[in-house]
Amino acid sequence: MSRNLWFSAFVTAMLVSPFSVFAQEELRVVEPFQLQRLDTQTGGFQLRANGVTETLVQTNPEAAVLPALAERWETSADGLKWTFFLRPNVTFHDGTAMTPEAVAASFKALLPTGNLIKNAKVKDVSAGDGTVTFTLEQPFAPFLAYLLDPAVPVLAPSSFASSGELTAIVATGPYRIEKAELPQGLDLVRHDSYWGDVAKIERVRVDGIPNPETRVNIALAGEGDLVLEIPTTAVSRIDRSGETHIVRAPVPRVVMMLVNVKKPQFADVEIRRALSFAVDRQAIARTIMGNEDLAANQYFPPAMKGWHFEDFKPQTLNVAEANRILDELGWKPGADGIREKDGTRFAGMMRTFPQRAYLPVIAEALQAQLKAIGFDLSIQVGESSLIPEAQNDGTLELGLGIRTMIYQVPDPVARLTSDFATDEPSTDATGATGWKSEEMRAAVAAYNLTTDPEARLPLQREMAEILQNELPVIPITFTDEKYAVSERLEGFVADPVMQTRPLNHLSFKD
Amino acid sequence: MRAILRVCDLSVRDQKGTLLVEAVSFAIPQAGAVVLIGETGSGKSLVAQAVLGLVPEGLSVQGRIEFDGRTVELSDRAALRQYWANHLALVPQEPRAALDPTMRVLPQITGLAKQAHAHQAMTSLSLRASVGRQYPFMLSGGMAQRVLVAGALTTQAPVVIADEPTKGLDDDRVEETVSRIRQLLDHGRAVLAITHDIRVARGLGGHIGVMRAGRMLEQGPVEEVILAPRHAYTRAWLDADPDRWPRRTAQRIAEPVLHAQKLTYAVGDRRLFQDLSLTLLRGSITAITGPSGCGKTMLGNVLLGLARPHAGTVRWCDGTDPHRVRRPALRARFQKLHQDPASAFMPGRVLRRQLEDLKPVLPFGCLARDLPPLLDRLAVQPSLLERRPDEVSGGELQRIAIARILLFKPYCLVADEPTSRLDPLVQREVTELLRTLVDEQDMSLVLTSHDKRLVRAVAHDVIDLQ
Amino acid sequence: MQRAVRHAVPRAVLRRVLEALSVALILATICFALLHAIPGDMALRIAVGQLGTENMSPAAVEQIRDAEMLSRPLLVQYFDWLKAVATGDIGRSFVSGRPVAEELRQAGGYTLRLAVIAWLLSYALALPLGIAAGLKPDGAIDRATAFAAAAFSSLPTFLIGIALISIFVLALNLLPPAGYRRPEHLVLPAITLALGLMAPSMRVIRDAVAEVQASAYMTYAHVRGFGKAKAFIRHGLRNASVPIVTFAALQFAYLMDGFFVVETLFNFPGIGNAMVSALLARDVPVVMGCALLIGTTFAAISLAADLICMWMDPRLVDEGHGSR
């Protein structure tokens, strides 16, 4: 570090100067994630959300798949070949034209590092005349949704070294990366020859700030234009501040109680129903999530058309029924009010993690509510990997986790597969533990082969019904996303499927 | 004789208005010496501080000094300060502490004067030029004092105040120091010396002023005052000089209380004593002398069984070796009197309580029976016991410490420099007391001291650890 | 004297260098042992750090396990690390994949900047206040600063930080709450650290000054005709500096503790932040690299303090002086 820099840093730090030239011009986005590596595998979601990377298709707020870099597509009769007709006149951030060869090469390079897209089992990608064709090993109906795996965007040839290694992110989105300071943030600058709506704001700064209180302070101080994941407790403070206001958007995310079905006290589905009856979801949604409508009476939230069913018998509070079930099963209250059967205490340790601030609070609420049916709940708050570790070594009793159903891939089946229809070890605090359902697996397999949306509906209903009846996880509440949006910002629309924040549509009021 | 500095009606009061120094007046003749002598608390140091304008905050000073035909009010510290360096110089006590440890000697004694003056002054005290380049910590105490004398000579000041120049010195050094101060006189400076050591007055000649309790008891030419003291206190003070103590004549009983053979004790590589054998007899006084750090205290501890020698044996009168037996039967009869009485009592606890604390280790009823006559014998007012250790004087506290020890009817008492922190009068008194107690109680006293004159005056046997 | 200097200084340097090496290695070893002593699957936790909670796959976990060779025996991992360190290579981050040296250079640069400003700021406040208090012990300034020092040292750093945020960010809207890119981002973290640093150093300065003021050589200097100010500059500053410099170096340990809190609170991308997130993500090479850096920095600062003290106090150079 040069002496000059030191000196000036010191002198200017001494002077309080709240105004900076940059601050007025750039759009300041604050999100909770810190980008660890500038690659698509670890940072793909952030890169796409902030408008750097794109792929052949995109989604609308209803999670429907729309054209993007491809104008249209065709599927072969056997369902094995998917051909995409590329949009002409698309240029990469480096000014080169997007050719079919470049697109095919990009997929070839990135598919091995892809995440969910691996389930589509792509055999080959080839370039044609203005087209790119994917050849699959087997028919895979939800392929379009899986194409949206953020780890596999379309990148320019200049992104790769001659060895094939990814060395830079040169993509097609409305913003290009000017400078990356990892893991703190990204400086983005407008891609002037963008094929769609060219961004109105020239510069964007994205900061990754994991601490929610710090994000709240930034919102309160008016230091961020778009601050993501505002905790419920800070909503009214921010709304009052005058600098920013809160925009709420429902998101397809459920908070659920994970149950190890292998444990004797949870093996019987009736017991899981009893536990579910004991949960006062309305109270939790109202007091902790700040919105009673978020109570989760089934696994999928109402916004997810075709997966949420109004006619399902809702899981609601009914302590009397819960106690009746338990009495019938022979679980007798002991001296301390906790039930017992054959020497097994009706008790469990619930593991959860504090990254989502509401989780430990909900765990405590559950502790109090389950006491009413003679269940002794203890709580362990630790790192988020605590739950999958316990799942894998079989020590998990209960867990409290979250699942974003269409996280990254806008088709819930992707996550249903990894959470409820796999033998793979658990890696995230989301799925079933010790629970196995052949019906579920059959439904998933059938779904993956069914292209016709109408024909898919009964399969979707079947899957949702299995979850509702078998309760491998007990849904507690849905969540909404709370954005703090500065008053000077115009044009922000929250994306309920959480695929992107259309930064190119934003502008500053004069 | 012309007075160069006249101190008139100097009084010092504390915040409550109590007089600490009462209307002291004296005159310092040109190139002559005035020695103020007195015990701790007599106010002699306050006089010097007042003249220098250095009395601690909170004390108020009255009176004036006449100097060079001018009169300065002593309450006017700012005016006094103007006299510093130009008219008054100081040779501080503890010479090494008076020098900045991080600064070379020469610039320090140069002060505001020209460097040439400092060189000259150093040369006149036969200090080599290289001394000026040294740091204070590289100087011995004597050398540092010479440097400070040179510092005084560097200034133009006609009057030099020497504050306790012999404090804490072994007796061999006293002579040397006095001659150093004399050099100031030789250079035509007048000296005001503050001391409790009559030898300084003798050595410097000139005038002496005897102070007690803030008052000047008498003053006059040294020879006159020494030969014909007018005041009883002055006489007592002069008699307190160990050289003038009456020689001891009492008989000894040839009954040993302790027998030590071939004692060796080492600290690291350094042998403090080696193959030392001795016998302590009842009714005898054995002195252990030697310069500080020579192992006097350690030898006392070895004899008492408190420190294990590296070689040799100690046998008490019942034949036990205190280093071999876990709890020797005669443990309580071999006692130690500490140098600093304050450290032998628990601070803040009433003295009577501290004596009562001994009940469990004394025979039943012994305390109530023996303590009153002992206090009487040691001239301790019983009411003193209601005070805390810091509320009685050093001499009183030492007497109470002795009373406490005598409760155990010791065979042997090791007194570790029992009087070195006491003023001469008190020193004499305590030593006399110990001496008579040895005769009365037939115990054996081991006295460690670096004061050879004291040892000469009282001891039957002398062990010199050189 | 000259010869003594020639011996004492290299000896001090040698001692501190050896100390640096051993402290750094011991610290790193403890970190290694602790990281592996925490239960749980290392690869899984690294994957969480790399990919986030909801984005992991079994394949990713296994890939990390293979890539970082985590299935090797611990001792082998440790000695391989030692071997690499001996050749000057402290490895790559498990999470970011970048060389640890590069990450440390970046984070360390930010932290150094913050530390220097905080340190200067704290002494800019503590020196005048401490000297003023020490020049008049038990005076009004002394009592006031003693009270302030007691208050600030009993407050945890994060509370000071939160209080400053409430005042300067939320109430007055003068300063940004978090960040690192603009100079004003440094103000609040630096003040937070400085206030915590200032409290004890003010008392140390006060005691050092009071001791020097009460010393015999100061009185002597006054008698020699030096005015209060002149005597203090001539004798006081240098003598009082020795304990102050020694203490200032020790304060680095406090600073390190402060970095963890302050950098997290203000989202400042320094060493404290890096180490906390590396610990959570089980990023062993980064944690151990941080330990090496902290250990060597501490020793380097101690060495600098030693040399400054030796320059100021010749007694420290002559090692034989104590026996005289």
Side-chain angles (χ1 to χ4, degrees):
Chain A
M1 191 146 311
S2 82
R3 188 180 301 172
N4 261 342
L5 196 61
W6 266 109
F7 182 73
S8 56
F10 176 60
V11 168
T12 31
M14 294 292 116
L15 307 165
V16 178
S17 57
F19 303 109
S20 161
V21 188
F22 277 120
Q24 295 308 303
E25 290 174 350
E26 66 181 6
L27 173 68
R28 297 159 304 175
V29 177
V30 178
E31 58 177 17
F33 324 101
Q34 289 201 323
L35 199 57
Q36 296 295 349
R37 303 180 181 213
L38 199 58
D39 65 18
T40 50
Q41 193 180 18
T42 57
F45 184 74
Q46 276 88 300
L47 291 174
R48 187 174 70 196
N50 289 310
V52 175
T53 59
E54 294 176 314
T55 188
L56 300 174
V57 291
Q58 60 183 335
T59 52
N60 69 0
E62 280 79 45
V65 179
L66 303 178
L69 296 179
E71 285 182 311
R72 58 190 177 84
W73 47 87
E74 291 171 352
T75 319
S76 65
D78 58 3
L80 290 177
K81 278 195 189 307
W82 292 72
T83 301
F84 293 84
F85 296 82
L86 298 183
R87 190 179 295 278
N89 305 324
V90 175
T91 51
F92 286 116
H93 291 156
D94 61 0
T96 57
M98 182 184 78
T99 62
E101 290 72 25
V103 174
S106 168
F107 275 103
K108 276 184 177 153
L110 295 179
L111 275 173
T113 67
N115 192 3
L116 291 172
I117 201 171
K118 281 183 180 149
N119 294 319
K121 300 205 171 68
V122 177
K123 204 159 71 182
D124 187 37
V125 192
S126 58
D129 179 17
T131 63
V132 175
T133 302
F134 293 81
T135 311
L136 309 185
E137 284 177 18
Q138 60 192 57
F140 193 68
F143 182 61
L144 287 177
Y146 277 72
L147 253 189
L148 277 155
D149 184 340
V152 189
V154 173
L155 297 184
S158 61
S159 304
F160 303 94
S162 54
S163 62
E165 196 192 348
L166 182 68
T167 53
I169 303 293
V170 182
T172 58
Y175 283 100
R176 66 180 162 80
I177 297 173
E178 186 185 52
K179 192 167 141 220
E181 293 169 73
L182 303 185
Q184 292 87 37
L186 294 173
D187 285 311
L188 306 180
V189 75
R190 176 167 65 200
H191 179 32
D192 286 315
S193 48
Y194 182 57
W195 59 268
D197 297 331
V198 174
K200 298 181 179 112
I201 299 173
E202 194 190 342
R203 293 180 161 275
V204 177
R205 166 70 188 188
V206 182
D207 275 303
I209 297 182
N211 182 354
E213 273 313 306
T214 308
R215 291 199 302 279
V216 169
N217 287 336
I218 289 174
L220 285 171
E223 287 278 317
D225 295 306
L226 181 57
V227 185
L228 276 69
E229 293 203 11
I230 297 293
T232 310
T233 47
V235 165
S236 58
R237 258 194 300 162
I238 292 177
D239 265 337
R240 275 200 312 269
S241 74
E243 299 272 358
T244 42
H245 62 276
I246 294 287
V247 172
R248 283 170 181 265
V251 290
R253 181 184 297 143
V254 69
V255 176
M256 70 211 146
M257 193 155 105
L258 306 163
V259 187
N260 186 350
V261 176
K262 287 248 170 69
K263 293 283 168 190
Q265 66 268 43
F266 307 124
D268 193 328
V269 66
E270 286 301 307
I271 292 189
R272 304 202 288 276
R273 280 186 57 224
L275 288 174
S276 176
F277 276 130
V279 177
D280 186 350
R281 296 175 170 81
Q282 255 75 19
I284 289 175
R286 183 178 62 243
T287 57
I288 300 173
M289 309 309 287
N291 181 357
E292 195 175 291
D293 297 339
L294 292 174
N297 299 320
Q298 50 182 285
Y299 185 75
F300 290 101
M304 293 197 60
K305 304 279 181 274
W307 294 89
H308 177 93
F309 297 94
E310 290 298 333
D311 57 334
F312 278 7
K313 187 161 181 282
Q315 301 175 29
T316 48
L317 179 67
N318 191 343
V319 176
E321 174 68 6
N323 280 323
R324 191 194 60 73
I325 294 173
L326 293 170
D327 288 342
E328 208 165 82
L329 289 173
W331 289 88
K332 301 232 163 45
D336 54 353
I338 304 304
R339 290 175 188 272
E340 268 184 28
K341 184 185 175 185
D342 306 333
T344 307
R345 256 168 79 82
F346 196 41
M349 150 89 74
M350 174 175 270
R351 292 175 164 90
T352 189
F353 48 93
Q355 274 77 11
R356 306 270 175 179
Y358 47 75
L359 288 180
V361 188
I362 293 178
E364 282 181 38
L366 291 172
Q367 189 175 41
Q369 292 175 3
L370 293 179
K371 194 138 218 160
I373 59 161
F375 185 85
D376 181 19
L377 181 76
S378 48
I379 301 170
Q380 186 188 5
V381 181
E383 294 172 58
S384 54
S385 52
L386 203 62
I387 295 175
E389 275 165 16
Q391 280 175 325
N392 291 337
D393 65 18
T395 57
L396 184 81
E397 289 170 343
L398 294 167
L400 189 69
I402 56 162
R403 168 47 93 195
T404 310
M405 285 134 190
I406 50 177
Y407 187 60
Q408 303 198 341
V409 168
D411 190 325
V413 83
R415 295 305 180 177
L416 284 181
T417 311
S418 61
D419 286 350
F420 301 106
T422 178
D423 290 326
E424 301 231 357
S426 168
T427 50
D428 46 14
T430 53
T433 316
W435 178 84
K436 196 168 175 182
S437 161
E438 293 307 330
E439 294 83 14
M440 186 60 128
R441 294 182 182 210
V444 167
Y447 181 91
N448 285 342
L449 293 173
T450 313
T451 327
D452 177 16
E454 286 305 314
R456 279 178 176 181
L457 263 178
L459 291 169
Q460 292 171 6
R461 186 181 170 95
E462 189 189 341
M463 289 188 258
E465 229 161 22
I466 293 172
L467 294 181
Q468 184 77 349
N469 295 335
E470 298 257 327
L471 291 173
V473 300
I474 300 173
I476 308 288
T477 175
F478 301 117
T479 68
D480 55 8
E481 186 60 271
K482 289 170 279 290
Y483 303 84
V485 183
S486 78
E487 295 297 345
R488 66 174 185 157
L489 200 62
E490 232 170 14
F492 177 73
V493 179
D495 176 7
V497 282
M498 300 193 61
Q499 295 298 313
T500 172
R501 324 170 180 129
L503 299 183
N504 51 331
H505 295 158
L506 300 181
S507 62
F508 291 132
K509 300 171 187 167
D510 322 296
Chain B
M1 185 187 66
R2 202 170 72 84
I4 185 142
L5 174 76
R6 206 180 284 278
V7 175
C8 307
D9 291 331
L10 187 157
S11 299
V12 180
R13 282 166 208 273
D14 67 9
Q15 276 153 319
K16 291 178 212 139
T18 316
L19 270 174
L20 302 176
V21 175
E22 193 180 344
V24 166
S25 303
F26 58 90
I28 302 171
Q30 193 161 25
V34 170
V35 178
L36 288 185
I37 197 162
E39 61 192 24
T40 311
S42 64
K44 61 185 192 300
S45 295
L46 277 178
V47 171
Q49 288 172 352
V51 171
L52 286 165
L54 286 175
V55 288
E57 296 279 331
L59 299 185
S60 63
V61 185
Q62 281 158 344
R64 60 195 183 281
I65 54 175
E66 288 172 19
F67 196 94
D68 236 8
R70 267 174 299 171
T71 305
V72 182
E73 287 298 321
L74 286 166
S75 55
D76 186 355
R77 294 188 189 191
L80 282 173
R81 271 181 212 142
Q82 295 183 342
Y83 283 92
W84 295 350
N86 286 332
H87 297 288
L88 288 175
L90 175 70
V91 177
Q93 50 172 295
E94 298 183 45
R96 290 219 291 181
L99 291 167
D100 180 343
T102 63
M103 201 183 231
R104 289 177 202 272
V105 164
L106 187 66
Q108 295 205 60
I109 62 166
T110 306
L112 294 171
K114 290 202 180 77
Q115 211 171 52
H117 280 142
H119 275 301
Q120 210 177 346
M122 286 179 64
T123 318
S124 72
L125 287 166
S126 50
L127 286 167
R128 271 173 291 123
S130 63
V131 173
R133 288 194 299 275
Q134 294 192 317
Y135 286 99
F137 69 88
M138 305 164 118
L139 306 175
S140 67
M143 187 75 94
Q145 197 170 46
R146 241 152 82 189
V147 164
L148 288 177
V149 171
L153 286 179
T154 306
T155 66
Q156 301 298 315
V159 178
V160 179
I161 296 177
D163 190 4
E164 298 272 16
T166 60
K167 193 175 188 181
L169 294 184
D170 294 347
D171 358 297
D172 337 0
R173 297 285 165 82
V174 171
E175 204 77 355
E176 206 181 308
T177 302
V178 172
S179 72
R180 226 171 272 142
I181 305 288
R182 282 188 69 97
Q183 283 180 296
L184 287 168
L185 296 171
D186 300 343
H187 280 83
R189 313 292 173 99
V191 171
L192 170 60
I194 311 295
T195 185
H196 65 264
D197 193 334
I198 194 76
R199 286 171 291 174
V200 175
R202 283 214 192 93
L204 288 182
H207 272 62
I208 185 171
V210 181
M211 286 194 69
R212 188 186 192 198
R215 266 185 296 198
M216 187 75 90
L217 286 183
E218 72 177 290
Q219 52 179 312
V222 173
E223 295 76 22
E224 272 177 39
V225 172
I226 289 180
L227 285 175
R230 270 171 300 175
H231 212 282
Y233 178 79
T234 314
R235 222 170 297 136
W237 185 274
L238 292 170
D239 289 342
D241 186 348
D243 285 344
R244 293 181 157 210
W245 290 2
R247 294 292 147 204
R248 216 193 120 78
T249 49
Q251 73 297 345
R252 294 193 266 172
I253 312 164
E255 187 186 326
V257 292
L258 184 148
H259 205 72
Q261 225 159 9
K262 298 206 159 189
L263 293 177
T264 302
Y265 194 93
V267 175
D269 293 340
R270 206 160 66 93
R271 294 259 158 91
L272 292 181
F273 43 84
Q274 192 169 10
D275 289 338
L276 183 75
S277 300
L278 60 93
T279 303
L280 299 181
L281 298 176
R282 294 187 77 170
S284 78
I285 299 178
T286 311
I288 307 171
T289 64
S292 36
C294 72
K296 299 191 290 286
T297 304
M298 194 49 73
L299 178 56
N301 287 346
V302 167
L303 296 179
L304 290 174
L306 300 174
R308 191 181 284 268
H310 289 100
T313 53
V314 176
R315 271 196 208 295
W316 287 355
C317 45
D318 64 345
T320 54
D321 182 339
H323 299 294
R324 311 254 150 125
V325 183
R326 184 172 275 274
R327 298 189 65 173
L330 294 180
R331 170 73 281 169
R333 312 295 289 269
F334 284 79
Q335 283 288 345
K336 179 168 181 174
L337 183 64
H338 287 269
Q339 178 176 23
D340 180 9
S343 70
F345 286 93
M346 188 190 285
R349 188 167 166 88
V350 174
L351 288 163
R352 179 176 298 283
R353 291 264 183 74
Q354 303 209 28
L355 290 175
E356 283 166 358
D357 288 342
L358 297 174
K359 264 185 188 163
V361 291
L362 285 169
F364 180 76
C366 159
L367 189 71
R369 194 187 62 223
D370 295 348
L371 187 59
L374 265 177
L375 293 179
D376 193 40
R377 169 68 192 85
L378 295 173
V380 175
Q381 297 277 329
S383 63
L384 282 183
L385 296 188
E386 307 308 328
R387 302 193 190 170
R388 296 174 213 294
D390 57 331
E391 291 167 342
V392 301
S393 75
E396 285 162 344
L397 198 58
Q398 193 64 298
R399 282 198 302 249
I400 295 170
I402 293 171
R404 184 167 68 170
I405 286 168
L406 292 182
L407 284 173
F408 291 96
K409 304 194 169 58
Y411 288 138
C412 172
L413 173 60
V414 175
D416 188 7
E417 304 255 13
T419 57
S420 67
R421 305 236 173 142
L422 303 176
D423 282 307
L425 272 179
V426 189
Q427 177 185 47
R428 160 114 201 230
E429 181 193 310
V430 170
T431 315
E432 276 301 313
L433 178 63
L434 285 171
R435 206 142 76 152
T436 41
L437 286 173
V438 167
D439 293 344
E440 284 174 22
Q441 314 255 338
D442 271 344
M443 65 179 179
S444 179
L445 177 69
V446 177
L447 195 67
T448 68
S449 174
H450 66 255
D451 188 342
K452 286 193 179 134
R453 298 181 310 144
L454 181 82
V455 166
R456 262 203 309 274
V458 300
H460 297 106
D461 302 311
V462 177
I463 297 160
D464 197 347
L465 294 179
Q466 272 298 1
Chain C
M1 175 73 203
Q2 290 310 314
R3 196 189 305 152
V5 173
R6 239 177 280 138
H7 283 300
V9 171
R11 198 174 305 149
V13 173
L14 187 71
R15 203 185 71 218
R16 287 296 183 187
V17 167
L18 289 178
E19 196 180 292
L21 287 177
S22 44
V23 165
L25 276 181
I26 291 169
L27 213 59
T29 307
I30 291 173
C31 286
F32 183 86
L34 282 181
L35 274 176
H36 285 278
I38 310 172
D41 180 359
M42 199 96 177
L44 181 63
R45 303 214 173 195
I46 296 166
V48 173
Q50 219 181 69
L51 302 165
T53 32
E54 267 197 278
N55 192 26
M56 301 200 312
S57 64
V61 175
E62 289 318 309
Q63 194 188 330
I64 285 168
R65 198 188 310 283
D66 290 347
E68 312 299 356
M69 300 188 282
L70 293 173
S71 29
R72 288 173 301 164
L74 283 188
L75 271 182
V76 175
Q77 292 187 39
Y78 177 68
F79 282 109
D80 282 357
W81 178 82
L82 269 189
K83 241 184 280 170
V85 167
T87 64
D89 172 20
I90 53 174
R92 274 177 317 101
S93 160
F94 286 169
V95 172
S96 75
R98 293 193 299 152
V100 174
E102 193 183 307
E103 299 226 321
L104 291 185
R105 196 157 38 233
Q106 196 182 341
Y110 283 120
T111 294
L112 191 62
R113 207 175 308 174
L114 181 60
V116 168
I117 293 172
W119 195 88
L120 288 177
L121 197 62
S122 84
Y123 278 89
L125 293 168
L127 272 177
L129 287 175
I131 290 175
L135 287 179
K136 247 185 178 289
D138 284 327
I141 298 177
D142 188 22
R143 279 156 206 261
T145 54
F147 179 77
F152 278 119
S153 17
S154 54
L155 280 177
T157 314
F158 79 90
L159 262 186
I160 299 179
I162 288 173
L164 289 176
I165 289 178
S166 316
I167 298 168
F168 292 103
V169 179
L170 303 182
L172 301 175
N173 208 354
L174 276 175
L175 290 165
Y180 62 100
R181 289 189 300 158
R182 302 198 302 274
E184 63 258 35
H185 284 133
L186 284 167
V187 177
L188 282 185
I191 292 178
T192 309
L193 285 173
L195 287 178
L197 280 179
M198 184 192 78
S201 50
M202 200 162 66
R203 296 316 287 171
V204 169
I205 293 168
R206 178 246 175 237
D207 290 347
V209 169
E211 194 193 315
V212 164
Q213 282 302 99
S215 69
Y217 54 81
M218 201 55 111
T219 310
Y220 185 55
H222 289 154
V223 176
R224 297 298 304 270
F226 290 100
K228 281 206 159 160
K230 215 166 170 187
F232 182 68
I233 292 167
R234 196 174 136 99
H235 301 292
L237 280 181
R238 204 179 173 98
N239 277 290
S241 297
V242 174
I244 295 172
V245 168
T246 311
F247 182 75
L250 273 181
Q251 272 192 316
F252 177 77
Y254 169 86
L255 256 184
M256 206 50 238
D257 173 54
F259 289 143
F260 289 127
V261 176
V262 165
E263 291 183 354
T264 309
L265 189 63
F266 292 96
N267 202 54
F268 191 82
I271 278 289
N273 209 339
M275 192 152 176
V276 168
S277 36
L279 275 170
L280 287 178
R282 301 293 191 279
D283 197 343
V284 183
V286 173
V287 173
M288 293 171 80
C290 285
L292 285 181
L293 182 68
I294 292 167
T296 44
T297 312
F298 189 63
I301 289 176
S302 303
L303 173 61
D306 283 358
L307 292 178
I308 293 173
C309 287
M310 282 180 170
W311 169 67
M312 286 190 304
D313 188 345
R315 281 173 296 182
L316 299 173
V317 179
D318 184 347
E319 289 165 346
H321 78 279
S323 63
R324 206 184 298 246

